[in-house]
Amino acid sequence: MRYVPDAALEAAFGAQPPLQTPAAERAGFAHDGNLARLVESALATLGPVGI
């Protein structure tokens, strides 16, 4: 695997405006703060996973 810049992909997804979610906030949803915490929260809902 290697990284190669893709101008079309970066133009479409590389810079998005800030996400505003007033309806979700009014409904009681809250921002996780960062990606690591989002993943941690999502995985915690799965419960223990055995191997």
Side-chain angles (χ1 to χ4, degrees):
M1 185 180 301
R2 61 189 169 90
Y3 171 76
V4 177
D6 183 325
L9 186 63
E10 289 178 13
F13 301 103
Q16 299 294 317
L19 180 61
Q20 303 296 320
T21 58
E25 292 168 11
R26 285 192 302 275
F29 292 93
H31 192 284
D32 289 287
N34 60 47
L35 180 58
R37 206 167 313 152
L38 171 66
V39 171
E40 182 180 312
S41 297
L43 292 177
T45 66
L46 299 177
V49 178
I51 297 177

